[in-house]
């Protein structure tokens, strides 16, 4: 995991090294008119949907123009700046670096959240001498779920055989 001392440049470089868009990315920023801002050098589609999900396509694009073409075809409702021809200005590069580092920070926060969930789950399942009530309740719930699953399988099994015979 990245340390807190990573610079925007290091965060941006890490973000651009992914082969697929990482989980936890944030949607593109928008301007006052609701148009998305596609930073110079962006490699992933981060168009956000109403339900909060990002575009299902997590592939990496070789050029920002290829990404723009994808957005034109797959997200026709989205408006964005077409960009400028030629090399990116220093301002565009600096803006892109800030945007990429913002996305990488969100990815790292997502990873930390998942690690915390896993650690809490492992802690809850770790046997201890004086088991807490929450751990006892969790074990009891797991036992009940397993028993219910067995009952469902016993009940459903004869019905599934009937359908196979017919």
């Amino acid at each position: 995991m990245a340390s807190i001392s990573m610079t925007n440049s290091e965060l941006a470089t890490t973000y651009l090294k992914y082969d697929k868009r990482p989980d936890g990315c944030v949607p593109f920023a928008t301007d006052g008119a609701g148009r998305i801002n596609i930073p110079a050098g962006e490699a992933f589609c981060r168009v956000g949907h109403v339900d909060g999900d990002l575009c299902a396509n997590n592939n990496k694009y070789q050029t920002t123009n290829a990404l723009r073409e994808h957005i034109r075809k797959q997200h026709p409702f989205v408006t964005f700046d077409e960009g400028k021809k030629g090399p990116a200005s220093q301002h565009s590069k600096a803006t892109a670096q800030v945007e990429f580092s913002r996305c990488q920070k969100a990815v790292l926060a997502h990873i930390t959240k998942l690690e915390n969930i896993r650690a809490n789950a492992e802690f809850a399942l770790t046997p201890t001498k004086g088991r807490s009530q929450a751990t006892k309740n969790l074990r009891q719930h797991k036992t009940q779920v397993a028993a219910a699953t067995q009952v469902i399988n016993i009940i459903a099994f004869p019905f599934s055989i009937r359908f196979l015979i017919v």
Side-chain angles (χ1 to χ4, degrees):
M1 173 133 80
S3 72
I4 300 296
S5 63
M6 287 183 79
T7 65
N8 278 350
S9 175
E10 292 168 326
L11 289 166
T13 302
T14 302
Y15 170 72
L16 292 173
K17 285 183 180 178
Y18 291 112
D19 292 329
K20 299 273 186 188
R21 183 188 66 222
D23 291 338
C25 276
V26 292
F28 287 120
T30 57
D31 63 14
R35 296 182 310 169
I36 63 170
N37 297 320
I38 303 173
E42 178 63 71
F44 305 105
C45 182
R46 296 187 285 125
V47 171
H49 297 290
V50 177
D51 62 3
D53 290 339
L54 295 181
C55 172
N57 183 347
N58 65 353
N59 293 325
K60 185 174 190 174
Y61 290 90
Q62 295 304 312
T63 65
T64 307
N65 284 335
L67 172 61
R68 285 188 180 102
E69 189 60 29
H70 158 78
I71 293 172
R72 261 187 229 100
K73 289 180 179 177
Q74 300 300 318
H75 309 285
F77 58 91
V78 173
T79 57
F80 57 92
D81 182 6
E82 291 293 328
K84 295 175 178 53
K85 299 211 185 261
S89 68
Q90 284 301 107
H91 175 70
S92 294
K93 288 178 184 177
T95 303
Q97 192 174 75
V98 168
E99 181 63 15
F100 299 156
S101 65
R102 179 179 81 94
C103 195
Q104 181 61 17
K105 285 176 185 175
V107 169
L108 294 174
H110 178 74
I111 291 169
T112 301
K113 179 181 173 185
L114 293 177
E115 287 173 348
N116 289 338
I117 291 169
R118 188 190 70 196
N120 289 337
E122 286 175 357
F123 177 77
L125 297 175
T126 302
T128 59
K129 190 171 187 175
R131 215 172 265 295
S132 70
Q133 187 60 41
T135 305
K136 288 180 184 176
N137 291 347
L138 178 62
R139 283 194 172 272
Q140 183 179 9
H141 174 72
K142 288 175 81 176
T143 303
Q144 291 170 346
V145 168
T149 302
Q150 287 177 341
V151 169
I152 290 170
N153 289 338
I154 291 169
I155 293 170
F157 183 70
F159 294 112
S160 61
I161 290 177
R162 248 188 267 164
F163 290 117
L164 291 174
I165 294 173
V166 174

